Amino acid sequence: MTPSSTKSALSPNLPLFSLSISLSLRPALLCKSPLFPLQQKEAMVLLSKPSFDQFPLIKTCKSTFFFPGIPVIDLSKPDAKTLLVKACEEFGFFKVINHGVPMDFVSRLESEAVKFFSLPQSEKERRGPPDPFGYGNRRIGSNGDVGWIEYLLFNINPETIYQSSLSIFRENPEMFCSAVNDYISAVRKMAFQVLELLAEGLMIQPRNVFSRLLMDDKSDSFFRLNHYPPCPELQALSGQNLIGFGEHTDPHIISILRSNNASGLQISLKDGSWVSVPPDQTSFFINVGDSLQVMTNGRFKSVRHRVLANSFKSRVSMIYFGGPPLSERIVPLAALMEEGEESLYKEFTWCEYKKTAYKSRLAENRLGHFLRKMRSDDVLKSPF
């Protein structure tokens, strides 16, 4: 990493988990397996054959079964606000249906993503490394985390997306720009709806106490397209799997994920066990982030999650990370505090939290740096 890129890794203006060092890759291979149920006409280009000593491996054992207990919430139903609160308290993770995002927006963006990730590796390399936005692969952050992944990262500002499109998509950048902007606009509206339903379910005012932070013109929000190439070599690994994206929690307020019909996403339950999330290409999965956990004084859980590589299918995911303005103070909401209840966390700004996150490994408990010394009766309430 150059001195300038090292400096940028700690800048509060950069997105979390965005920096990538471009590695020398062998000639790309074409894969003609059925990849995208919504868009199957494109072939994908694989990263080079992995050297497993360069990537983290884990024992899978019982963690690979599809967990049937993921909360599914119909946003059109009157009980949605109650079920959302319950899901945030028990899992920090849930699936939403009847979400209002046109599937045409999803398929258009997926098609554009397929076109890009299908390019020869040498062409994709010329669009990176991210600075901080753009194309990256394998390296996640600047502290040694790696994964079987390549990605595109964007600020959600339409002008920034347009400029990024010009540099990444040399042919017809307008098509990609339009697809990204339409998708982000629709997903943001859903994010506002979910956060306002959560406020209603918690019976706090104003209704936009959470959503206003994402609506703010200075909202520090980002959008990411991830591609996890298939890895047939995994068949030779008995009882082990390859990490696509290592375990972590999302630092933002909420993250909204949509993926194709390939498996790989796992979440950690309260007992520490890992379970696989059944893929659903027509629905969205939402994570509670660290910031929302603090704002609810630990009532909501920031879910720990990871992605494992797939032997036969490419996984493409689209994630909107909804964050507050850099100057926003992240503190528990007074309306949620019981009489005499103390904050579990030291006060910090979003900017300060990002700086801490940049200095840590993915799996590190970043909120642990901001925990107050707790009384014995508060220890039982702590999510750590």
Side-chain angles (χ1 to χ4, degrees), residues 14-308:
L14 305 188
L16 294 174
F17 315 136
S18 66
L19 299 179
S20 171
I21 294 180
S22 176
L23 303 178
S24 176
L25 300 175
R26 300 188 183 121
L29 304 173
L30 286 177
C31 174
K32 297 184 179 180
S33 59
L35 303 170
F36 302 95
L38 292 179
Q39 198 67 245
Q40 298 182 354
K41 296 181 180 180
E42 302 286 347
M44 295 292 284
V45 174
L46 300 179
L47 297 176
S48 61
K49 183 178 180 180
S51 174
F52 288 128
D53 59 354
Q54 299 177 3
F55 292 90
L57 298 172
I58 60 167
K59 292 182 179 179
T60 51
C61 300
K62 296 181 181 180
S63 65
T64 55
F65 75 90
F66 283 135
F67 182 61
I70 301 297
V72 180
I73 300 171
D74 186 338
L75 294 182
S76 68
K77 296 294 182 63
D79 63 350
K81 59 185 179 183
T82 303
L83 295 177
L84 285 170
V85 170
K86 182 179 180 182
C88 289
E89 291 176 338
E90 295 184 359
F91 293 94
F93 181 84
F94 51 91
K95 179 170 80 172
V96 295
I97 59 176
N98 286 324
H99 42 69
V101 177
M103 294 313 296
D104 175 61
F105 289 1
V106 175
S107 60
R108 281 173 52 212
L109 181 54
E110 188 171 272
S111 176
E112 292 299 315
V114 169
K115 289 177 184 177
F116 176 79
F117 290 126
S118 297
L119 292 173
Q121 189 63 39
S122 59
E123 290 190 33
K124 290 184 286 188
E125 291 290 333
R126 288 197 290 268
R127 273 72 161 183
D131 187 31
F133 305 108
Y135 174 75
N137 65 71
R138 298 194 173 191
R139 184 67 58 99
I140 304 170
S142 59
N143 298 300
D145 291 295
V146 295
W148 189 241
I149 185 176
E150 59 180 344
Y151 63 86
L152 289 169
L153 186 71
F154 304 92
N155 184 290
I156 67 164
N157 179 279
E159 179 58 31
T160 303
I161 290 175
Y162 177 72
Q163 294 300 327
S164 297
S165 300
L166 291 177
S167 61
I168 295 173
F169 291 80
R170 309 293 169 79
E171 297 181 4
N172 298 320
E174 294 81 7
M175 291 182 63
F176 177 80
C177 184
S178 173
V180 172
N181 282 327
D182 286 347
Y183 179 88
I184 290 177
S185 177
V187 169
R188 286 184 75 219
K189 289 179 181 178
M190 177 177 58
F192 302 158
Q193 179 187 10
V194 168
L195 290 173
E196 289 171 3
L197 286 170
L198 281 171
E200 288 184 11
L202 290 168
M203 295 182 288
I204 56 176
Q205 295 290 336
R207 187 172 184 263
N208 69 344
V209 64
F210 299 126
S211 63
R212 66 174 180 82
L213 300 175
L214 274 57
M215 293 179 181
D216 194 299
D217 290 339
K218 296 181 180 179
S219 168
D220 191 42
S221 299
F222 300 95
F223 179 66
R224 185 174 178 125
L225 286 167
N226 288 336
H227 172 223
Y228 302 92
C231 187
E233 291 77 14
L234 289 176
Q235 298 300 303
L237 297 178
S238 177
Q240 289 185 305
N241 213 323
L242 182 67
I243 291 291
F245 205 112
E247 66 172 274
H248 64 286
T249 59
D250 291 338
H252 300 74
I253 295 174
I254 62 169
S255 308
I256 299 182
L257 163 76
R258 183 268 168 192
S259 73
N260 65 341
N261 211 28
S263 62
L265 177 63
Q266 295 189 329
I267 63 170
S268 178
L269 303 180
K270 285 184 177 180
D271 63 4
S273 62
W274 287 93
V275 295
S276 293
V277 177
D280 184 344
Q281 61 184 351
T282 63
S283 302
F284 288 83
F285 294 92
I286 298 182
N287 299 344
V288 170
D290 295 344
S291 296
L292 189 55
Q293 176 171 308
V294 173
M295 295 177 74
T296 59
N297 205 31
R299 181 171 174 178
F300 289 176
K301 173 191 175 185
S302 181
V303 65
R304 187 165 288 270
H305 55 288
R306 67 189 182 193
V307 176
L308 304 183

Side-chain angles (χ1 to χ4, degrees), residues 315-327:
R315 174 180 169 87
V316 166
S317 59
M318 315 168 182
I319 312 103
Y320 163 77
F321 298 96
L326 288 170
S327 60

